[in-house]
Amino acid sequence: MGPYLLGLRLSGRRVLVVGGGRVAQRRVPALLEAGAEVTVVSPGVTPALDDLIAAGRVTWHARPYEVGDCDGAWLVQACTDDRAVNTAVAAEAEAKRVWCVRADDKDASAAWTPATGRVDEISVAVTAGGDPRRAAGIRDAVVGALRDGTVDARRNRTKPVGVALVGGGPGDPGLITVRGRQLLAQADVVVADRLAPRALLDELAPDVELIDAAKVPYGRALSQETISELLVDRARQGKFVVRLKGGDPFVFGRGGEEMIACAHAGIPVLVVPGITSAVAVPAAAGVPVTHRGVSQEFHVISVHVAPDDPKSTVDWPAMARSQGTLVLLMAVERLAKVAEALVRDGRAPETPVMVVQDGTLPTQRAVTASLSTVADRVSAAGIRPPAIVVVGDVVRVGQEVEMVRAERLP
């Protein structure tokens, strides 16, 4: 027959664990999280258990099991690698009407330890006929679905209120944070940027209001004032609003302006950081923005205006003198002027440059050149925004990796 599942509330109750090996090492932390008073009986213990004992969280009797050890226990775990010892422990527990879990024999065990997981206030426990690997796999699938909202998160009575500024990451929908995806699944309204991971929008429920806040370069755009007004308006209607952005909300994402607008209106705001494309896209192209002995600093620069534009606040001469990596966003249309300014102010014309379009997406492609040639190479290749420009010797590190890989191919 199948087991009768219960959620044991072990706070303040004694639990006996016989054995101090790897199985006990897995079981004890979960028992402690449930508030149990854990006693371990074993001649030796693993370093992880020893650490818990040293911290005073576990009582340890450094000796073999003895009859009488089960006295006063509410639950017993027989976790030794000696079948005879486990049998003796289980027999004593059975005689004293104490539930005992045997790690070595599911059929002889009076109880099974389920594979467990927790998401917020929801606990998940899975038994699969005593098969721990299968139970863990099912547990992982259920917990994952709860975390990303696949399992009807919108029916939660305590769903968030106000506005969440969610960073969607560099483009690949798999690179949004777990928290971001969870909140997206709970949204009543989603206000999405052009660079937000669009594939995630297909997962929204049919009744979710989707507002396109795309700002197309040199094309149509919803003003920032209008976007802020929409966030406040929908939140005041009692709806939970997710402002879904590409990258991170506070890295050239104007998230600070939206947060201030909501604060003035008395709307609560939750900020969920995202993986910024300034770091993720070079990584996806095999280029580290820092590398020992090459660059110990990097600068992230918005090039929405050219270096010679009066509205530019970037100290381009300082950037040219710097030995660090330069990561340029929104730079493709002004790349010739940027390269000219950097060379004029001291960067070597042969400094390597990589331009990556559609980073982390299946359409990703990259062009490598030098400062003196990059503008022409990008134009000839037809590279268009969104693209990230990386300037510095770290580009050669990526090239070195590719050369090593090529040499190892059969």
Side-chain angles (χ1 to χ4, degrees):
M1 295 182 180
Y4 182 83
L5 299 182
L6 282 175
L8 297 181
R9 304 180 68 184
L10 295 174
S11 181
R13 292 179 167 87
R14 181 174 182 266
V15 174
L16 172 68
V17 177
V18 181
R22 288 179 296 175
V23 175
Q25 180 179 306
R26 292 198 304 269
R27 301 272 174 91
V28 168
L31 293 168
L32 292 174
E33 286 184 12
E37 296 180 357
V38 178
T39 298
V40 173
V41 174
S42 177
V45 294
T46 66
L49 287 173
D50 195 28
D51 187 51
L52 293 173
I53 293 164
R57 301 187 63 193
V58 173
T59 300
W60 179 30
H61 298 306
R63 57 168 174 75
Y65 159 76
E66 298 175 355
V67 174
D69 282 338
C70 293
D71 290 346
W74 291 74
L75 176 67
V76 175
Q77 299 264 355
C79 303
T80 77
D81 56 6
D82 187 323
R83 183 177 180 82
V85 172
N86 290 340
T87 300
V89 172
E92 181 188 355
E94 184 76 13
K96 295 177 178 176
R97 297 189 177 184
V98 178
W99 290 106
C100 178
V101 179
R102 284 188 62 163
D104 64 331
D105 190 338
K106 68 182 181 67
D107 295 321
S109 184
W112 295 336
T113 298
T116 61
R118 187 173 179 84
V119 180
D120 297 329
E121 75 283 1
I122 301 172
S123 295
V124 175
V126 180
T127 62
D131 183 340
R133 292 182 180 273
R134 187 182 182 200
I138 296 171
R139 180 271 320 275
D140 291 344
V142 174
V143 168
L146 284 168
R147 283 178 174 160
D148 65 23
T150 304
V151 174
D152 208 359
R154 297 183 71 217
R155 293 186 180 178
N156 190 337
R157 291 181 180 177
T158 59
K159 86 174 177 182
V161 297
V163 173
L165 305 179
V166 175
D172 182 340
L175 295 178
I176 189 174
T177 64
V178 170
R179 182 59 171 156
R181 191 157 191 164
Q182 184 182 54
L183 292 176
L184 188 63
Q186 295 176 293
D188 300 308
V189 181
V190 175
V191 182
D193 268 358
R194 180 177 69 94
L195 298 180
R198 312 299 290 187
L200 295 176
L201 303 180
D202 292 337
E203 301 175 4
L204 298 176
D207 61 334
V208 175
E209 181 185 5
L210 177 58
I211 299 174
D212 186 356
K215 295 178 180 178
V216 180
Y218 313 108
R220 67 179 183 85
L222 207 59
S223 72
Q224 187 60 50
E225 292 74 17
T226 300
I227 294 173
S228 296
E229 289 170 1
L230 285 167
L231 298 179
V232 170
D233 174 72
R234 297 305 191 272
R236 280 178 169 167
Q237 294 178 28
K239 298 177 179 179
F240 175 51
V241 185
V242 168
R243 175 72 168 106
L244 182 63
K245 299 170 173 288
D248 182 275
F250 286 178
V251 180
F252 304 126
R254 305 188 74 170
E257 297 172 51
E258 293 166 355
M259 183 173 64
I260 291 171
C262 290
H264 280 301
I267 303 297
V269 177
L270 173 65
V271 179
V272 180
I275 301 173
T276 175
S277 59
V279 174
V281 170
V287 175
V289 294
T290 63
H291 191 76
R292 188 175 63 170
V294 177
S295 174
Q296 64 183 47
E297 60 180 311
F298 67 97
H299 307 266
V300 181
I301 304 165
S302 168
V303 194
H304 62 282
V305 294
D308 59 357
D309 192 300
K311 292 182 289 187
S312 175
T313 61
V314 179
D315 188 345
W316 286 104
M319 294 299 98
R321 293 191 302 271
S322 168
Q323 297 301 307
T325 305
L326 306 183
V327 182
L328 313 178
L329 283 63
M330 297 172 276
V332 170
E333 300 295 334
R334 289 161 286 275
L335 195 50
K337 290 188 175 182
V338 169
E340 178 185 346
L342 289 174
V343 171
R344 182 189 65 230
D345 292 324
R347 279 265 180 165
E350 61 272 16
T351 301
V353 182
M354 176 178 279
V355 183
V356 186
Q357 176 182 322
D358 294 341
T360 76
L361 297 174
T363 53
Q364 174 179 312
R365 61 185 182 129
V367 169
T368 304
S370 66
L371 268 179
S372 61
T373 63
V374 66
D376 291 339
R377 290 287 303 277
V378 165
S379 177
I383 297 290
R384 300 291 301 166
I388 300 294
V389 180
V390 185
V391 180
D393 289 337
V394 291
V395 173
R396 292 196 179 99
V397 176
Q399 293 173 320
E400 180 183 349
V401 171
E402 289 303 315
M403 289 175 59
V404 171
R405 287 174 175 168
E407 290 172 356
R408 294 180 64 86
L409 289 175

